[in-house]
Amino acid sequence: MDNNLAPHLDELTRALENVDENLIKNELEKLLSYRVPVEEAKRTILRKYKSNVLYPKNIGNLKANSKGLEINGRIIDIQNKTVNVKGENVPISSGIIADSTGACYFTLWEDMSLNIGDALKIKNAYTRKWQNRVQLNIGNRSEITYLSDESLPSVDEITRQNKKKLFDISFSDIYVNSIAIVVELYHREVNVKNRKTTVLEGVLADETGKLPFTSWTPLEGVDIGKVIQFEGAFVQTFKGVPSININESTSLEIVDSTENLPFTYETASDTSKPVPIKNILNKDGMFEVSIEGNIISLRSGSGIITRCPTCNRVIFKNKCRAHGTVEGYHDMRIKAILDDGTSAITVILNRELSEIVYGSSMYEAEDIIQNTLSQDAVYEDMRRRLIGKYLGVCGNSSNTDFGPTLVAKSVWVPDGSLDDRVHNLLKRLEGVNYG
Amino acid sequence: MAAFVREVAKRVFAQEFKESNLMFKDGEDQYSPQYLLTPTGAKVNRLFIVGTLTETEDIGTEAEFLRGRVSDPTGSFLIYAGQYQPEAAQVLSECEKPAFVAIVGKPNTYTTDEGDVITSVRPESISVVDGDTRDMWVLEAAKHTLNRINSLDKDEPNIKKVVEHYNTDKKHYYEMVQQALQSLKETD
């Protein structure tokens, strides 16, 4: 090896302690032989291996698409099945593994009989995202060893330990305990395996937020305005936001003494208080959350659009990608970037809300197109009228590959109380220690 | 979670922006974003300002190159728009002065021969807004600035960099915020 490379190699091995030195050396030499400048080659190697460092993780902090993970956990649910891989039936197991920080779905791609309650150390596992959740994959390169039983909390403790406020509940939770007030409630008949069952659906709220819930068992005495405390409820995803599922194994009781709770029916059902956008971006999805900010950009696709009459997809030149040539119908929408100084999010407004925010009806907007003979005219006009405007929005947010998005249910102009707010800020200034 | 996060638009008063001169790159890559660190610790890659457009001047020699001045309660921002910002340049040249405008843009710095750093804004968009929007902006900018001043004691790398570089005089910026808020009361 060229002596000139030694200091660079040194630097790399120090930065990537857990990566094999020979591997780094080979990689570096290979890049250099492909005429990559040495500084760029170093950066490439750092980027490639930085995430690959093997270190122990808590299940609660697992992120999607990491590899080389080492975790300690207890199996709290497991099912064995066979799947067809390239024409061969392969036995796999899937279930839930948990530690004191959280729980996570896993798939074991090996024929190994594990049981509920097993305490395990798993080395060299990796994670993927599956149905909005982080899933742990244990493959043939992973190493599984048994731990002593007392090294982890018991199955029962794990499923009952996860006490959270509604705001903090996310897809990474599987079982959850909380205390909340029912602010909406409906009965719905569904067919389950040809049997009619009544399910309860509604919305729970506390001082931190709201979440939808479903109960598969009748809840005696539960009604709007009642405070319930539940343990071991199941977290699922419903239209991109977490939802609480209550079934036979959930323990639930109605709380009668509500004086000491940090919320009341009025405060919990009120969603008008805006949340900093930054706080929403940390979450995969949120239910009925309010934000206020400035429209700082309008995304293309705002304005008058044409949809397929069969599938409602947005179409161009009356060609639907699923239904061929169709007679499309007009719709109006706004995709605005709302920014409140903490972060930015795409807000999607349907026709009704777009008409309110834009200040013109869809028919008036169609006239603009007729008069200017330009499809972009409405988009241009919207940009002129809306960019810079203050807007308050309430709706469900999601954070997907398309970027953080909030689908609006209601909008308002955050105007008034300017004097009050000026006064409050001046008060804050009086209190500061000058100097 | 999505890998790409849009750069947030920071609210900074003209005076603080003018007194900023610390640019830094987040990461070593050639394409890492550039930021301007202001004396109260705003990490600015994008700005949102609302103020009064008081004057514009074409300073281009061949192609049109417009310089606009946008005033807020604490000072004024310089806005430069040329052929690569055609929409913004059009608004700058066509709108009547004075006018309330909302500007989304990127911070730019220029070092003079004497070594002074001049900050300016390269607009992504400029639109004409009403006086209420302008007053709300002053309020929001005051709130954000106040929060930043109060966080200057935090033990974060960027904050440390700021304090080391500017040796920020908190009182100076508290007074700026107060002056801005006071101006809102006087307009009533």
Side-chain angles (χ1 to χ4, degrees):
Chain A
M1 175 165 196
D2 191 341
N3 267 339
N4 295 337
L5 282 182
H8 299 300
L9 193 59
D10 242 32
E11 196 182 315
L12 282 173
T13 41
R14 251 182 289 124
L16 304 166
E17 285 180 330
N18 295 311
V19 184
D20 182 39
E21 198 180 326
N22 282 323
L23 190 72
I24 298 175
K25 190 178 157 199
N26 289 341
E27 194 89 17
L28 185 63
E29 280 173 348
K30 189 170 178 195
L31 281 166
L32 293 177
S33 73
Y34 276 88
R35 317 272 195 281
V36 178
V38 65
E39 287 302 321
E40 184 61 36
K42 270 159 67 184
R43 277 197 290 272
T44 306
I45 292 173
L46 276 175
R47 272 199 299 269
K48 184 166 176 186
Y49 290 106
K50 217 158 197 176
S51 61
N52 204 12
V53 183
L54 195 76
Y55 49 97
K57 277 278 205 178
N58 292 326
I59 292 178
N61 321 332
L62 286 179
K63 296 241 156 43
N65 300 321
S66 21
K67 38 188 181 173
L69 298 165
E70 179 187 315
I71 61 153
N72 294 341
R74 189 187 290 280
I75 307 277
I76 54 177
D77 189 26
I78 192 158
Q79 274 139 25
N80 299 313
K81 51 189 170 190
T82 55
V83 290
N84 198 312
V85 180
K86 291 174 191 159
E88 250 181 274
N89 280 333
V90 183
I92 63 163
S93 314
S94 64
I96 299 167
I97 186 162
D99 65 11
S100 58
T101 65
C104 152
Y105 284 95
F106 73 90
T107 301
L108 171 68
W109 298 93
E110 287 289 283
D111 189 8
M112 226 184 124
S113 64
L114 296 177
N115 298 306
I116 289 179
D118 284 353
L120 307 169
K121 177 186 280 295
I122 299 164
K123 278 187 182 171
N124 215 2
Y126 60 98
T127 55
R128 288 277 179 275
K129 201 160 202 180
W130 172 248
Q131 294 187 339
N132 273 327
R133 277 198 158 113
V134 175
Q135 189 188 49
L136 187 74
N137 284 273
I138 308 162
N140 54 3
R141 277 188 231 159
S142 310
E143 223 179 277
I144 301 182
T145 45
Y146 283 85
L147 295 172
S148 67
D149 197 54
E150 60 275 15
S151 63
L152 285 161
S154 73
V155 172
D156 204 48
E157 276 171 306
I158 284 172
T159 55
R160 304 274 179 224
Q161 72 183 354
N162 194 16
K163 191 170 173 71
K164 284 202 168 173
K165 290 287 176 195
L166 298 187
F167 177 82
D168 297 317
I169 294 173
S170 74
F171 302 137
S172 63
D173 297 304
I174 293 176
Y175 297 103
V176 76
N177 302 348
S178 196
I179 179 162
I181 188 162
V182 180
V183 292
E184 285 175 44
L185 192 68
Y186 321 96
H187 294 257
R188 199 161 64 94
E189 296 243 305
V190 292
N191 269 320
V192 181
K193 290 172 186 159
N194 288 328
R195 262 188 47 221
K196 272 206 174 141
T197 320
T198 305
V199 295
L200 290 176
E201 286 180 338
V203 177
L204 292 172
D206 67 11
E207 78 277 18
T208 65
K210 287 182 173 183
L211 281 183
F213 80 97
T214 308
S215 175
W216 298 86
T217 56
L219 301 175
E220 200 66 41
V222 170
D223 206 343
I224 291 174
K226 290 278 185 201
V227 176
I228 57 171
Q229 176 157 24
F230 50 89
E231 287 190 350
F234 201 61
V235 180
Q236 279 193 322
T237 70
F238 175 72
K239 290 184 183 166
V241 298
S243 82
I244 307 278
N245 273 262
I246 294 162
N247 57 26
E248 305 83 43
S249 58
T250 311
S251 55
L252 182 141
E253 58 183 86
I254 295 172
V255 179
D256 290 320
S257 57
T258 55
E259 299 87 55
N260 294 327
L261 291 175
F263 55 86
T264 62
Y265 179 75
E266 281 70 31
T267 61
S269 51
D270 178 19
T271 41
S272 60
K273 195 174 167 4
V275 172
I277 294 175
K278 185 177 66 183
N279 294 3
I280 297 180
L281 301 202
N282 297 331
K283 314 277 287 177
D284 288 317
M286 281 180 77
F287 183 75
E288 283 189 10
V289 60
S290 292
I291 54 175
E292 286 181 2
N294 292 92
I295 298 176
I296 64 160
S297 182
L298 281 196
R299 293 185 40 183
S300 58
S302 301
I304 300 283
I305 50 170
T306 314
R307 290 186 185 277
C308 168
T310 316
C311 61
N312 294 329
R313 277 194 184 89
V314 176
I315 57 170
F316 297 97
K317 296 183 174 159
N318 282 338
K319 275 249 170 27
C320 173
R321 74 191 148 101
H323 301 95
T325 304
V326 289
E327 190 63 43
Y329 69 95
H330 275 173
D331 193 6
M332 181 157 88
R333 71 170 171 194
I334 293 175
K335 292 163 110 178
I337 309 244
L338 205 72
D339 184 310
D340 69 353
T342 70
S343 210
I345 191 168
T346 304
V347 169
I348 299 186
L349 305 173
N350 64 12
R351 175 179 161 187
E352 187 194 346
L353 297 175
S354 295
E355 288 179 333
I356 296 170
V357 171
Y358 179 39
S360 297
S361 71
M362 189 172 89
Y363 301 112
E364 287 167 311
E366 281 172 331
D367 283 346
I368 296 180
I369 292 181
Q370 293 258 309
N371 294 337
T372 58
L373 296 176
S374 160
Q375 278 292 329
D376 285 336
V378 175
Y379 174 56
E380 294 301 328
D381 190 47
M382 279 179 169
R383 285 175 53 117
R384 204 162 45 242
R385 276 154 71 171
L386 299 182
I387 290 181
K389 282 259 159 67
Y390 272 95
L391 190 68
V393 191
C394 178
N396 295 351
S397 75
S398 63
N399 210 348
T400 63
D401 292 343
F402 300 108
T405 309
L406 186 136
V407 179
K409 285 181 186 166
S410 60
V411 291
W412 61 90
V413 179
D415 55 348
S417 60
L418 189 77
D419 291 348
D420 291 353
R421 294 180 61 195
V422 170
H423 184 75
N424 287 341
L425 280 179
L426 282 170
K427 262 264 153 55
R428 260 179 78 186
L429 268 171
E430 279 169 26
V432 301
N433 177 15
Y434 276 66
Chain B
M1 198 161 293
F4 172 77
V5 179
R6 190 189 159 88
E7 289 286 349
V8 59
K10 296 287 180 177
R11 276 70 165 168
V12 176
F13 282 122
Q15 185 190 334
E16 184 180 351
F17 188 63
K18 202 170 157 190
E19 289 164 355
S20 304
N21 56 16
L22 178 59
M23 296 293 281
F24 90 109
K25 253 187 162 184
D26 212 2
E28 287 168 45
D29 200 279
Q30 182 182 354
Y31 297 106
S32 301
Q34 274 231 347
Y35 295 92
L36 176 73
L37 273 177
T38 71
T40 65
K43 187 180 156 196
V44 187
N45 174 272
R46 178 177 277 134
L47 274 169
F48 177 69
I49 54 186
V50 184
T52 315
L53 179 66
T54 52
E55 56 178 73
T56 50
E57 195 184 343
D58 186 356
I59 55 164
T61 40
E62 280 161 30
E64 186 178 53
F65 194 67
L66 291 163
R67 179 175 65 197
R69 196 177 277 275
V70 172
S71 132
D72 80 0
T74 70
S76 58
F77 294 94
L78 287 177
I79 316 291
Y80 286 92
Q83 55 173 323
Y84 299 112
Q85 296 84 29
E87 290 177 25
Q90 198 188 349
V91 178
L92 276 185
S93 67
E94 286 176 3
C95 99
E96 298 219 356
K97 275 124 266 188
F100 291 122
V101 290
I103 297 177
V104 181
K106 300 272 184 182
N108 223 339
T109 55
Y110 167 73
T111 311
T112 62
D113 294 340
E114 289 80 43
D116 297 329
V117 174
I118 295 173
T119 54
S120 64
V121 180
R122 198 178 66 239
E124 291 173 341
S125 71
I126 303 182
S127 45
V128 177
V129 295
D130 57 19
D132 288 346
T133 306
R134 181 265 181 198
D135 288 351
M136 280 285 275
W137 180 84
V138 173
L139 183 81
E140 290 283 318
K143 187 186 82 185
H144 283 283
T145 308
L146 198 51
N147 289 343
R148 287 198 301 268
I149 305 173
N150 289 340
S151 305
L152 275 175
D153 303 323
K154 276 196 182 156
D155 192 20
E156 283 170 23
N158 284 336
I159 303 281
K160 278 187 175 162
K161 221 182 283 180
V162 164
V163 174
E164 205 169 287
H165 179 83
Y166 292 106
N167 193 16
T168 310
D169 177 11
K170 286 188 182 180
K171 186 172 173 226
H172 178 66
Y173 291 102
Y174 277 132
E175 280 168 1
M176 175 189 77
V177 173
Q178 181 154 32
Q179 180 199 337
L181 289 170
Q182 215 72 50
S183 76
L184 286 180
K185 284 180 105 177
E186 283 153 16
T187 55
D188 296 338

